[in-house]
Amino acid sequence: MKEASSETVFWNESRREANRSAVKEFIFIGLSDSQELQIFLFVFFLVFYVGIVFGNLLIVMTVTYDSHLHSPMYFLLANLSFADLCLSSVTAPKTIADFFYTRKVISVKGCFTQIFLLHFFGGSEMVTLVAMAFDRYVAICKPLSYTTIMCGNVCVGIVATAWGIGFLHAVIQLSFAVSLPFCGPNKVDSFYCDLPRVLKLACADTYMLDIMVIANSGVLSVCSFVLLIISYGIILLTIQRRPSDRSSKALSTLTAHITVVLLFFGPCIFIYAWPFPIKSLDKFLAVFYSVVTPLLNPIIYTLRNTEMKTAMRRLSQWNLNFWVK
Ligand SMILES: *[C@@H]1O[C@H](CO)[C@@H](O)[C@H](O)[C@H]1NC(C)=O
């Protein structure tokens, strides 16, 4: 008798739940309706994604296997590449597969998983970029104490902090959204689940939530960005005051870092922290940030870095010897 009543309660509960959230899946509107543009975008995404996988794996493997590159700067670079690879793997494979369907469906769970992972990897990447700037700051402005400040444990700690902050950021971001009811339209005007756009579909007043999301993502991205600008500013001033033969090499490393930072934060701040959304533009900026920036990082770091290029050559020779033997 007791069991029956608890079962009834359970059924009533789940029916109420079903009414409250009638939407079981979301549908992506995608980037374009035009057939020609779809084909172009398909090829574009495919080529870029293959490049991202190869380029970033190459960096991670080169840094892992080459003992000449076992220094904090390259460990951070490998972590950045790994985050880039994960970040674009959250959206790109599904987007590529979706070009074959006119109805691009994602389950509600899948959608929230995308949001969580995007914020997790994106947040970790931001903190890693700040850590890379800090590493260069110590190396250039306090060269004598570099080995004591950036010793092995500190580097591991920094990396752990980066992933920890990313995780915390994603949990906070999602905890606001996961209990929202979705009962109305389910068309997401994008090619992946983007929190601001998904929030628009909830059948509840999300005004406070919107502010929370902008605050959470905005604070993280703007704070990281300001920290980066300050540290690169100090580094550039230091280099200018003490010109030496090593400073031109440092300058080229710095230019690479600063380019990556601008490419990563530009679209990000525009999407999350810009108070006036421009509808069609931020959808295309998202393309930038899901497949263009993650490919540019390996290109920028390897083309401008002779140590990296030499290490890759060594790695390929080693591989060749390994397979020939
Ligand atoms: C990330 O950094 C840590 C700490 O320096 C290092 O041990 C690890 O190998 C790096 N991860 C990758 C994927 O290279």
Side-chain angles (χ1 to χ4, degrees):
M1 198 56 212
K2 218 173 179 187
E3 258 173 43
S5 70
S6 71
E7 207 161 289
T8 328
V9 170
F10 173 75
W11 278 111
N12 284 342
E13 270 304 307
S14 42
R15 202 170 309 139
R16 210 169 300 141
E17 193 71 17
N19 274 345
R20 214 169 60 95
S21 290
V23 170
K24 291 270 171 291
E25 58 191 22
F26 291 109
I27 295 175
F28 296 137
I29 291 180
L31 283 164
S32 157
D33 294 330
S34 128
Q35 192 75 39
E36 292 82 29
L37 203 56
Q38 291 259 9
I39 294 170
F40 168 76
L41 285 168
F42 169 73
V43 173
F44 178 86
F45 266 81
L46 190 63
V47 169
F48 272 61
Y49 186 62
V50 169
I52 287 167
V53 172
F54 275 100
N56 287 303
L57 275 183
L58 186 63
I59 290 187
V60 170
M61 280 173 48
T62 311
V63 172
T64 309
Y65 288 113
D66 198 311
S67 53
H68 300 260
L69 300 183
H70 285 181
S71 71
M73 183 173 121
Y74 290 107
F75 278 137
L76 290 172
L77 173 61
N79 276 277
L80 183 74
S81 279
F82 181 66
D84 262 335
L85 178 60
C86 296
L87 190 62
S88 63
S89 298
V90 175
T91 55
K94 170 148 177 59
T95 308
I96 291 169
D98 273 347
F99 282 113
F100 293 102
Y101 300 98
T102 39
R103 198 164 167 277
K104 310 171 199 308
V105 184
I106 188 167
S107 67
V108 171
K109 279 205 183 93
C111 182
F112 281 117
T113 309
Q114 268 197 342
I115 294 175
F116 179 82
L117 292 177
L118 281 179
H119 284 273
F120 174 43
F121 294 124
S124 314
E125 185 160 343
M126 279 187 188
V127 183
T128 305
L129 286 171
V130 176
M132 291 174 85
F134 176 71
D135 169 76
R136 286 303 86 201
Y137 164 76
V138 177
I140 292 166
C141 303
K142 310 225 176 304
L144 296 181
S145 32
Y146 183 75
T147 41
T148 39
I149 295 178
M150 295 298 287
C151 65
N153 282 341
V154 174
C155 189
V156 172
I158 288 176
V159 169
T161 311
W163 291 96
I165 290 180
F167 185 75
L168 201 65
H169 163 72
V171 167
I172 294 174
Q173 195 78 312
L174 205 66
S175 64
F176 292 127
V178 85
S179 58
L180 278 178
F182 291 95
C183 47
N186 64 344
K187 290 198 165 55
V188 182
D189 183 17
S190 186
F191 58 99
Y192 69 100
C193 275
D194 181 12
L195 192 50
R197 283 172 197 275
V198 171
L199 285 186
K200 281 201 195 96
L201 302 176
C203 43
D205 182 21
T206 60
Y207 181 71
M208 282 309 286
L209 207 62
D210 284 334
I211 293 182
M212 291 291 207
V213 166
I214 291 177
N216 188 1
S217 295
V219 164
L220 183 63
S221 46
V222 173
C223 282
S224 312
F225 192 61
V226 168
L227 278 176
L228 286 166
I229 297 276
I230 292 174
S231 40
Y232 284 124
I234 297 175
I235 297 172
L236 289 177
L237 282 179
T238 310
I239 290 182
Q240 223 176 16
R241 237 181 293 132
R242 284 184 310 198
S244 72
D245 49 334
R246 277 180 47 220
S247 57
S248 74
K249 185 171 165 247
L251 206 59
S252 114
T253 312
L254 284 183
T255 329
H257 284 209
I258 294 170
T259 316
V260 168
V261 164
L262 291 180
L263 287 173
F264 186 77
F265 281 90
C268 204
I269 288 180
F270 192 83
I271 291 175
Y272 285 100
W274 194 252
F276 325 104
I278 300 173
K279 261 202 124 200
S280 52
L281 188 61
D282 66 352
K283 192 155 89 175
F284 283 92
L285 272 178
V287 174
F288 210 85
Y289 147 106
S290 53
V291 287
V292 180
T293 323
L295 180 63
L296 286 178
N297 290 357
I299 293 177
I300 289 171
Y301 281 105
T302 44
L303 287 189
R304 303 200 57 134
N305 190 320
T306 37
E307 259 172 84
M308 201 73 199
K309 277 190 276 190
T310 325
M312 281 181 183
R313 217 166 294 134
R314 268 199 300 267
L315 185 72
S316 66
Q317 233 127 46
W318 180 79
N319 263 335
L320 219 60
N321 292 340
F322 182 79
W323 292 112
V324 166
K325 257 185 222 161

